[in-house]
Amino acid sequence: MDFDQRCLRLCAAVLICSVLFRLAASGTFKPLQQWLAQPSTASFLMYLQTGRVIRASAEEPPLPLPPIPPPLIPPETAPPEHPISLPQTPASFSKEELDHITMYYRCDYRPELAPLLTEELNWDLHGDEPKVLIVHTHTSESYTPLTPGEYTPSGAYHTLDPDYNVLSIGEVVGTMLEEAGIGVLHDCEFHDTSFNDSYPNTRISTEKILEENPSIELIIDLHRDAADTPAGQLVTECQVDGQTAAQLMMVVGTDDCGLEHPDWKKNLAVALKLQALLERENPGICRKLTLTDQRYNQHLGRHALLIEVGAAGNTLPEAKLAAAQLAKAIIALSYGSE
């Protein structure tokens, strides 16, 4: 490139910068700045990244910081609402059970499922040491109230009341596992006081817990789903012992997004086994098992799952009934599989 061409390009660059600065000073870009600052825009961008529908309202105040609870609260020992059949031997599976498992792929991977379902799972969740960690990335997620004013909301379908948000779902699962002789740690910290920081907050908390408790074999991140439908918030339904329960949806992350997660197939193998056990006892209780390109902190432990218990349109009793079935499936798999 000769001297004249370089001078010409430099002058053009200076001219373009001058025009951009002049437009910015005149407020031309102000509508774009206002659009990017809108909550609805943040919700849309979050949907593009994660596939989750997030309601936002400019009138809603940000979540207040709740009182800091003890980071780990063991579930209270209480008789489960439904009798538990304790296994004495490892579970077994056949590839024919895949006929009752449906998949939803949000990534480019299409792994062979039969070998993962039928491969051995070498763990024993029983003993004095904690083996299961229950966490909640979106701790304040709640359900549709049975009566107006049932709980004090902190946002749309969110509350800081642990008796009505997903902490109560974790309590159901944890209590039943403890009753079956499985050591549980329940992280009751609110990780979603800043929604965008939820997963980083959960990662920091989980890493600390795992460092202090290397015996942990299974990490369960319990959520509830949310999606707008023409009739309102999504409602999931199935029948359990003649009662209406919410459905469960397992989400398994991969390394398809480019982040390190080499053992994601181990998580998928556990999810397939739990889904098979759940469908044996209550056909239709599971929604499609989702394999996604995001990893959702599932790279942190030996076996980690994200499980959606119902949706915002469900009631808390429906979600608790589904959570009890999840606990039964974990108990049925507590001696591994052969």
Side-chain angles (χ1 to χ4, degrees):
M1 184 184 300
D2 60 27
F3 179 76
D4 291 340
Q5 288 177 320
R6 287 198 296 269
C7 288
L8 182 60
R9 289 196 175 189
L10 176 61
C11 292
V14 171
L15 179 60
I16 292 172
C17 290
S18 300
V19 172
L20 290 176
F21 284 135
R22 180 61 63 87
L23 290 174
S26 65
T28 302
F29 298 140
K30 190 173 181 180
L32 176 61
Q33 295 172 338
Q34 292 174 339
W35 179 78
L36 289 172
Q38 291 177 359
S40 58
T41 304
S43 176
F44 174 70
L45 295 176
M46 183 64 70
Y47 171 79
L48 290 179
Q49 181 181 3
T50 67
R52 293 176 59 84
V53 178
I54 307 300
R55 284 192 168 191
S57 170
E59 287 74 33
E60 288 179 6
L63 288 174
L65 288 173
I68 299 177
L72 297 174
I73 301 178
E76 297 178 1
T77 301
E81 295 182 6
H82 305 278
I84 298 176
S85 177
L86 298 180
Q88 301 299 322
T89 58
S92 60
F93 301 91
S94 66
K95 63 181 181 180
E96 286 73 24
E97 291 185 273
L98 288 174
D99 294 339
H100 307 290
I101 297 176
T102 55
M103 298 289 298
Y104 173 45
Y105 294 100
R106 287 177 50 203
C107 64
D108 291 333
Y109 293 128
R110 299 295 186 273
E112 289 290 332
L113 301 180
L116 296 174
L117 174 62
T118 57
E119 73 179 16
E120 290 186 12
L121 175 61
N122 295 310
W123 73 16
D124 184 350
L125 301 184
H126 300 269
D128 297 331
E129 294 182 311
K131 297 297 181 66
V132 177
L133 171 61
I134 299 173
V135 302
H136 308 277
T137 296
H138 298 144
T139 320
S140 64
E141 289 179 329
S142 61
Y143 297 88
T144 296
L146 286 169
T147 58
E150 183 178 41
Y151 59 78
T152 301
S154 59
Y157 300 100
H158 287 76
T159 182
L160 301 179
D161 189 335
D163 291 331
Y164 291 95
N165 59 31
V166 292
L167 285 173
S168 65
I169 301 301
E171 190 71 15
V172 169
V173 176
T175 297
M176 292 182 65
L177 296 184
E178 288 276 5
E179 188 71 12
I182 298 172
V184 176
L185 291 177
H186 188 189
D187 182 1
C188 295
E189 185 176 345
F190 282 80
H191 299 292
D192 59 344
T193 51
S194 168
F195 186 86
N196 290 337
D197 293 331
S198 299
Y199 280 97
N201 290 342
T202 303
R203 176 181 55 78
I204 293 170
S205 176
T206 300
E207 286 177 337
K208 182 176 184 297
I209 295 169
L210 293 176
E211 182 179 357
E212 296 171 352
N213 300 274
S215 59
I216 296 292
E217 288 281 358
L218 175 63
I219 304 170
I220 309 172
D221 189 358
L222 292 179
H223 294 242
R224 64 105 180 95
D225 202 1
D228 287 309
T229 72
Q233 270 294 328
L234 173 66
V235 179
T236 68
E237 289 186 0
C238 68
Q239 291 296 306
V240 174
D241 298 330
Q243 302 179 65
T244 299
Q247 289 178 298
L248 302 165
M249 183 173 71
M250 299 191 202
V251 180
V252 177
T254 69
D255 59 4
D256 197 28
C257 62
L259 297 177
E260 184 178 357
H261 187 12
D263 296 327
W264 60 267
K265 287 186 179 180
K266 292 182 179 179
N267 295 342
L268 179 56
V270 172
L272 288 167
K273 290 172 171 60
L274 286 176
Q275 187 129 340
L277 291 168
L278 285 160
E279 288 295 320
R280 282 184 198 175
E281 296 298 319
N282 299 285
I285 192 171
C286 292
R287 299 164 64 191
K288 292 183 178 181
L289 196 164
T290 299
L291 191 66
T292 177
D293 58 354
Q294 301 297 314
R295 64 182 186 180
Y296 296 119
N297 287 330
Q298 293 173 17
H299 64 295
L300 295 179
R302 296 189 185 97
H303 308 93
L305 301 174
L306 188 158
I307 302 178
E308 307 269 9
V309 183
N314 286 108
T315 64
L316 184 58
E318 292 170 344
K320 285 186 173 182
L321 184 53
Q325 310 316 304
L326 172 61
K328 289 181 180 180
I330 296 172
I331 293 167
L333 194 60
S334 59
Y335 285 107
S337 68
E338 56 185 12

